[in-house]
Amino acid sequence: MSTAPPSPTDVTGPDGTPVRVYVTPGAADAVPVVLVHGLGSDAFVNWEQAGWLRSLRATGRPLIRLDQRGHGGSGAPHDPAAYRLPLLVGDLAAVVASTVGAGRPVDAIGYSLGSRVLLEYLATPGMPAPVRRLVLGGSAGQPLLQGFDPDLVDRALGGGPVPAHAETARIARTIAALPGNDERALAALVRGLHTDPAAVRRAPDPAVPTLVAVGTDDPLHDPARAWTAGLPAATFVGLPGRTHVSAVPSGVFRSAAVAFLG
């Protein structure tokens, strides 16, 4: 099977924002896998650099990755209103419609912000493709990007001091961590989601078979395990010694996801 990198294409999000897409071909009769990365990452860092693409390519399935708006090669508006959760879900719907088409089932893997976008996709009527199986990393169904001060994030990114508040400092570091990130766009994203009523509420619980994976050193571990126990068709995997960031390249995570997706 060829391992040549896929050529990127762009699709148009619901408000005209271009969304960068990478498609790795697979067997025509195989269920495609859609991958949605986390905050401050992109389709390359979250999935290829971390080893996911190699593991999933071996299954022979079509793989569809996108750079979420504000990230990677996608459009990066600086207006917080451009980052409402329904717009991120609309971007994903446009990607699925253009690559998979209407009605064909997909499997989906998300991490952190990507997990929340996938949960909202499942709960939104009229989406182009049903999700057969779902893998959620770094998520406990919690409200999205709450409990921090976006003004302090802006100051830190402008050369000011790192905030003393742990969650605010973590978000500022996440935005600044990847070389090439448009920090103004990502600051707009966290501010937009911080005030978005859809992001302030708890995510909808998935009804499809779901695997939830969270590092044992991630503060979300215990809430995620408790959340998973209440879901109708879910399995929880703790990733030993992994934090919210270091869980992404975990071999335990990848192996569990590949086995779960079958």
Side-chain angles (χ1 to χ4, degrees):
M1 184 180 298
S2 172
T3 58
S7 298
T9 58
D10 287 346
V11 304
T12 303
D15 62 347
T17 299
V19 180
R20 184 62 50 87
V21 184
Y22 306 83
V23 177
T24 302
D29 60 347
V31 177
V33 182
V34 177
L35 301 108
V36 190
H37 66 79
L39 173 67
S41 188
D42 60 24
F44 174 77
V45 171
N46 208 133
W47 306 119
E48 186 166 358
Q49 186 172 294
W52 283 85
L53 208 61
R54 180 178 64 253
S55 297
L56 290 167
R57 192 186 287 123
T59 69
R61 301 172 66 176
L63 309 176
I64 300 160
R65 297 172 292 147
L66 70 150
D67 289 336
Q68 296 208 71
R69 61 174 59 206
H71 299 79
S74 291
H78 292 170
D79 180 0
Y83 295 99
R84 302 303 191 211
L85 192 54
L87 289 173
L88 274 66
V89 173
D91 290 345
L92 176 59
V95 168
V96 172
S98 69
T99 56
V100 178
R104 183 182 179 186
V106 299
D107 287 342
I109 306 174
Y111 194 77
S112 195
L113 172 63
S115 294
R116 182 57 189 271
V117 171
L118 283 170
L119 286 167
E120 294 292 334
Y121 175 95
L122 263 70
T124 303
M127 293 296 96
V131 175
R132 186 191 71 132
R133 284 183 170 249
L134 179 66
V135 176
L136 304 174
S139 177
Q142 75 279 7
L144 190 61
L145 290 171
Q146 305 302 304
F148 76 102
D149 187 336
D151 290 334
L152 293 181
V153 170
D154 289 344
R155 290 174 202 162
L157 296 176
V162 175
H165 183 262
E167 181 63 8
T168 307
R170 184 189 71 80
I171 291 171
R173 288 194 300 267
T174 298
I175 290 173
L178 187 63
N181 272 348
D182 185 330
E183 294 184 358
R184 287 185 62 195
L186 294 181
L189 183 152
V190 299
R191 183 179 291 275
L193 291 175
H194 183 70
T195 57
D196 181 359
V200 172
R201 63 175 170 76
R202 186 177 178 85
D205 288 343
V208 301
T210 300
L211 175 72
V212 178
V214 179
T216 58
D217 291 349
D218 186 335
L220 291 175
H221 177 269
D222 290 348
R225 183 170 56 184
W227 176 57
T228 306
L231 298 178
T235 302
F236 181 78
V237 175
L239 307 174
R242 299 286 178 156
T243 66
H244 194 75
V245 174
S246 65
V248 176
S250 165
V252 173
F253 188 7
R254 294 197 308 274
S255 296
V258 170
F260 178 77
L261 296 181

